[in-house]
Amino acid sequence: MSRVSFKEINQLAIPAIIAGIAEPLISLTDIAVIGNVEDHAVEALAAAGIVGSFLSAIIWIVAQTKTAISAIVSQHLGANRLLAVKTLVPQALAFNFIFSLVIYFTTAFTAEAIFRLYNAEGLILDYTASYYRIRALGYPLTLVTFAIFGVFRGMQNTLWAMKCSLTGALINVVLDFLLVYGIEGLIPPMHLEGAAWASVMAQGVMLIMAFWFYFKKTPFSLRISLNINPRMRDLLLMSANLFVRTAALNFAIYLANAYATDYGKNYIAAQSILMNIWLFFSFFIDGYASAGNAISGKLLGAKDYTRLWNLSKDISKYAIVVAVLLMAVCGIFYRDIGLIFNKDPEVLALFATVFWIVLIMQPVNAIAFMFDGIFKGLGEAAYLRNVLLAATFLGFTPALLLADRAGLKLYAIWIAFFVWMLIRSAALVIKFRRKYLHGKA
């Protein structure tokens, strides 16, 4: 059999889509609820958007051990050598937990200084700092959960992660309404801080569920061996390359938000909506990238290069179909989507003038994300790092500076993102084609 079946791909991809959108869904729910509070809605929306982008940046950077664990576990599964990584997994979980504490203590107490770098000031700065300090309590919960999800993916199962993530997202929605708006006589309205606590509690539930599946469904434990597993060096090296890559990725997002904040509160509010929708789409499409990540690692371990090449073609087609469907749905409801998040006419006008760029870039995003996933499964972290550095500093940044100088404002930001994604997708397709076109490495 020279192809991975449609059923095999979707058994991993569909649960991964649902699991992947849970985290951005939490942020989108926060923004939708916060953007409709009665007092200082625009400032609260701007603050939630800035913090959401920063949290995504940090989590994406430090959660790259999830991808590294997935790649190593799947490669050993394909080679029938899973026993060799039995001590590696609990050591990786412990590493993520310790690292998350370091991140928390180095950012929670410097929140004002961090968000001044985003050009936040006045009430927006006060909101971002208080909101972030609570959300940051979720770092240990989220990063350990993500590491466990990496184990699940390496074991060729994304259903367990889906169940955890979907439960967490639903709990967050309910708690958002209860804590932000309150219940008269029972729960006082907590506004922005209520949304933050809702997120932390939802993340706690996800971690508890993840541990249940980990103990019940996998061959791994939490027993930490004092002898460092030989593959720990590979895991840390892969993670380090992915850290640098994701840092460059998030530099682009930081720069976009800093410029939008500098344009004014209505611009950063509109940018917050655009950015979170873009992230939602990214995580949605990334479900197929997760399938590519898990299956490609297994095929590499089994040295099945013909199926690996065919996998890249099939999974890209499926992802483009998903991207086109997302474009079509948003095209139909183009004018109504912004109203979910805010009612301010100036914010909505800015959103509507730029949203079409976010939509037309989705097929390009799909290709980039698919090959991102496959290259991660193959352990090609160094190449992914180099591509992101080039795309960010030779594509995104010059495009943003030039378009900003031309006075394009929000257009400048999203033109730069389009250039960024074109470079990423082209570089990955060319490299993979050269290496695996004829069914051999």
Side-chain angles (χ1 to χ4, degrees):
M1 186 176 176
S2 62
R3 305 188 96 87
V4 179
S5 70
F6 180 76
K7 181 180 178 181
E8 284 180 86
I9 292 172
N10 281 287
Q11 279 179 336
L12 290 170
I14 292 173
I17 288 170
I18 298 170
I21 64 175
E23 183 64 28
L25 187 61
I26 288 174
S27 292
L28 279 173
T29 303
D30 285 358
I31 285 174
V33 174
I34 292 162
N36 287 287
V37 297
E38 292 182 4
D39 298 326
H40 306 293
V42 172
E43 289 84 356
L45 176 60
I50 293 169
V51 171
S53 294
F54 181 73
L55 282 167
S56 295
I58 294 294
I59 290 170
W60 282 358
I61 291 169
V62 299
Q64 293 308 312
T65 47
K66 166 189 171 181
T67 301
I69 292 168
S70 174
I72 290 172
V73 170
S74 63
Q75 288 168 21
H76 281 74
L77 182 68
N80 292 314
R81 296 185 61 247
L82 209 54
L83 189 63
V85 293
K86 201 159 187 178
T87 60
L88 175 68
V89 170
Q91 289 171 355
L93 296 182
F95 173 80
N96 258 30
F97 177 70
I98 293 168
F99 198 17
S100 68
L101 293 179
V102 172
I103 296 295
Y104 171 76
F105 286 110
T106 54
T107 60
F109 299 104
T110 57
E112 285 90 352
I114 290 169
F115 294 116
R116 282 194 187 96
L117 296 174
Y118 284 77
N119 295 321
E121 57 185 22
L123 188 57
I124 292 177
L125 180 60
D126 293 340
Y127 279 169
T128 54
S130 63
Y131 180 60
Y132 175 74
R133 287 195 181 98
I134 299 170
R135 286 291 305 267
L137 293 170
Y139 281 138
L141 309 174
T142 300
L143 296 181
V144 174
T145 300
F146 278 9
I148 296 173
F149 286 179
V151 176
F152 296 165
R153 189 195 297 173
M155 295 290 295
Q156 310 296 290
N157 189 300
T158 55
L159 184 63
W160 305 330
M162 181 203 78
K163 291 179 179 178
C164 300
S165 299
L166 191 58
T167 302
L170 292 173
I171 287 172
N172 183 75
V173 171
V174 174
L175 290 177
D176 256 348
F177 283 96
L178 291 178
L179 299 181
V180 172
Y181 299 129
I183 299 177
E184 189 173 351
L186 290 175
I187 302 172
M190 298 173 67
H191 301 296
L192 194 59
E193 291 187 355
W197 283 115
S199 298
V200 171
M201 287 186 268
Q203 288 161 340
V205 171
M206 287 168 61
L207 177 60
I208 292 168
M209 290 185 65
F211 270 126
W212 189 89
F213 285 109
Y214 177 84
F215 289 123
K216 292 286 186 179
K217 304 290 187 179
T218 78
F220 305 110
S221 70
L222 290 182
R223 190 179 298 112
I224 298 176
S225 172
L226 296 179
N227 296 318
I228 302 299
N229 188 284
R231 292 306 305 270
M232 179 58 86
R233 180 181 177 277
D234 294 337
L235 185 143
L236 293 178
L237 184 61
M238 196 186 308
S239 298
N241 281 320
L242 292 172
F243 287 171
V244 174
R245 170 189 178 275
T246 313
L249 184 154
N250 285 293
F251 173 78
I253 294 175
Y254 154 73
L255 206 59
N257 283 314
Y259 270 69
T261 305
D262 199 42
Y263 297 147
K265 69 177 186 179
N266 289 327
Y267 284 90
I268 185 55
Q271 171 65 11
S272 295
I273 301 171
L274 291 164
M275 192 73 244
N276 277 279
I277 291 174
W278 188 86
L279 292 171
F280 178 81
F281 284 178
S282 301
F283 279 99
F284 201 103
I285 296 171
D286 201 48
Y288 279 98
S290 295
N293 174 264
I295 298 171
S296 63
K298 184 180 177 182
L299 294 177
L300 180 67
K303 302 187 186 314
D304 193 343
Y305 302 120
T306 299
R307 293 181 81 198
L308 180 60
W309 170 253
N310 289 331
L311 172 72
S312 72
K313 294 192 296 182
D314 293 339
I315 211 163
S316 295
K317 291 175 189 174
Y318 304 151
I320 290 173
V321 169
V322 172
V324 171
L325 288 174
L326 287 171
M327 290 171 62
V329 171
C330 289
I332 293 168
F333 299 102
Y334 191 92
R335 292 287 173 184
D336 300 318
I337 289 173
L339 290 168
I340 298 171
F341 304 99
N342 194 250
K343 302 296 188 293
D344 187 285
E346 291 186 36
V347 173
L348 292 174
L350 289 169
F351 168 80
T353 57
V354 181
F355 187 39
W356 64 272
I357 303 178
V358 176
L359 297 183
I360 65 169
M361 65 194 290
Q362 292 309 310
V364 177
N365 290 5
I367 296 296
F369 296 150
M370 288 317 95
F371 282 94
D372 261 359
I374 290 172
F375 272 73
K376 287 172 183 176
L378 300 175
E380 295 267 8
Y383 185 72
L384 288 173
R385 175 201 65 202
N386 294 338
V387 168
L388 227 298
L389 288 171
T392 300
F393 296 106
L394 301 179
F396 178 88
T397 305
L400 176 59
L401 294 175
L402 288 171
D404 173 70
R405 180 168 289 186
L408 297 179
K409 296 190 175 180
L410 281 187
Y411 281 110
I413 292 170
W414 288 97
I415 289 169
F417 272 124
F418 207 161
V419 170
W420 191 56
M421 296 306 300
L422 284 168
I423 294 171
R424 290 173 60 185
S425 58
L428 295 176
V429 169
I430 291 167
K431 168 80 170 181
F432 190 86
R433 184 180 176 83
R434 286 177 177 171
K435 193 167 184 178
Y436 295 104
L437 175 60
H438 301 295
K440 60 183 181 180

